[in-house]
Amino acid sequence: MINALAYSTDSGFYGMGGGFLYSLFDPTYILVIIGLIITLAASANVKSTFRKYDQVRSRRGLTAADAARRILDANGLYNIRIERVSGNLTDHFSPKENVIRLSDSTFYSTSIAALGVAAHECGHAVQHQVGYLPIKLRNGIVPFVNICSYVSVPIIIIGIILGATNLAYLGVALFCAVLAFQIITLPTETNASSRALATLRSMALLDEDELAGAGKVLRAAAMTYFASVASTALQIFRLLLIINNSRRRD
């Protein structure tokens, strides 16, 4: 939805005012390009970091699924299932279904990367158990954010086409809910990683040198969330520039 916004917001804006040639050389596209580069760089980094440490077997030989089960049981979370899900790095915790799903690249793996990822998802489960505030806030605003992400684009487009600047600004304000959601997500992810490393250490599932590798994997994964925040912020800035340019032409 966010990527679609970056492109759909231009399709009718400049043509309406006879500025088609300008739209072909819209200087605000540089913000889209910067956001794309940041996102792709973060994605490439987490994949390469995971591949590197996925080649390093943990000394204890536990699979990620076994490690996750031990961590959950140690926290009294016996009711949470662990399932295998297809894909690569598609690992996630579903609180509604009480299940941690580990991807093909993680489930049976004994690598320190896989154990770090599995422990991270267990960290999310523990967050729900203890009522961690940021994750409660994030889950609470999901319905509102979903609505805002769908209605903000047409509101912005209609506002610019009609020359209704205030309406366009309203659309941008609604789209800011997406940015707020991403910002709230940051502490939930970094905290889950901190919990994961602390648990892997306290339960002696990884040695100290192995923890260093797992930490690099989790930090690389966290950077993808920071990249999303930066990309969305750049898109919002671009929208404001487009609206201001449209108002000046009117």
Side-chain angles (χ1 to χ4, degrees):
M1 186 63 185
I2 295 174
N3 289 335
L5 177 61
Y7 293 94
S8 66
T9 49
D10 290 318
S11 57
F13 292 171
Y14 297 109
M16 294 299 294
F20 176 72
L21 290 178
Y22 179 80
S23 69
L24 294 178
F25 304 99
D26 179 4
T28 65
Y29 271 121
I30 189 63
L31 298 176
V32 176
I33 295 172
I34 293 173
L36 181 61
I37 291 173
I38 292 173
T39 301
L40 291 177
S43 177
N45 182 51
V46 70
K47 290 178 181 178
S48 64
T49 304
F50 182 86
R51 281 197 300 269
K52 176 180 179 180
Y53 290 100
D54 194 40
Q55 302 303 313
V56 182
R57 305 295 106 182
S58 63
R59 295 187 181 93
R60 286 161 184 76
L62 280 176
T63 67
D66 289 336
R69 184 72 271 161
R70 291 193 183 191
I71 294 172
L72 292 175
D73 290 350
N75 286 277
L77 298 173
Y78 308 104
N79 60 321
I80 295 181
R81 308 186 313 279
I82 300 172
E83 297 178 354
R84 183 179 177 182
V85 64
S86 62
N88 182 38
L89 295 179
T90 52
D91 315 85
H92 62 277
F93 168 58
S94 175
K96 290 184 178 180
E97 301 170 282
N98 269 345
V99 59
I100 287 178
R101 296 190 174 95
L102 300 179
S103 63
D104 291 331
S105 58
T106 303
F107 194 92
Y108 291 116
S109 176
T110 61
S111 72
I112 61 176
L115 265 68
V117 170
H120 175 90
E121 299 309 326
C122 291
H124 284 309
V126 174
Q127 286 175 340
H128 281 272
Q129 178 194 41
V130 301
Y132 182 60
L133 182 58
I135 206 167
K136 291 173 66 176
L137 290 175
R138 188 185 70 172
N139 293 341
I141 67 172
V142 165
F144 176 71
V145 172
N146 286 337
I147 293 173
C148 289
S149 66
Y150 282 110
V151 304
S152 58
V153 178
I155 289 177
I156 294 170
I157 294 175
I158 292 172
I160 292 183
I161 290 176
L162 298 180
T165 303
N166 289 338
L167 183 61
Y169 281 137
L170 173 62
V172 174
L174 292 174
F175 186 61
C176 285
V178 175
L179 180 60
F181 177 82
Q182 293 175 334
I183 291 174
I184 294 174
T185 296
L186 293 179
T188 69
E189 295 300 325
T190 55
N191 177 265
S193 292
S194 296
R195 291 176 186 271
L197 294 175
T199 299
L200 290 170
R201 176 181 288 108
S202 65
M203 295 183 65
L205 298 179
L206 291 179
D207 292 335
E208 285 299 322
D209 59 324
E210 295 175 322
L211 283 169
K216 290 179 180 179
V217 172
L218 295 180
R219 283 191 292 274
M223 290 307 299
T224 63
Y225 294 95
F226 283 96
S228 295
V229 169
S231 179
T232 301
L234 287 170
Q235 291 182 48
I236 291 173
F237 181 48
R238 179 174 183 251
L239 288 172
L240 293 174
L241 291 176
I242 290 173
I243 294 170
N244 288 334
N245 289 337
S246 176
R247 182 175 61 179
R248 284 196 295 268
R249 286 194 302 274
D250 292 340

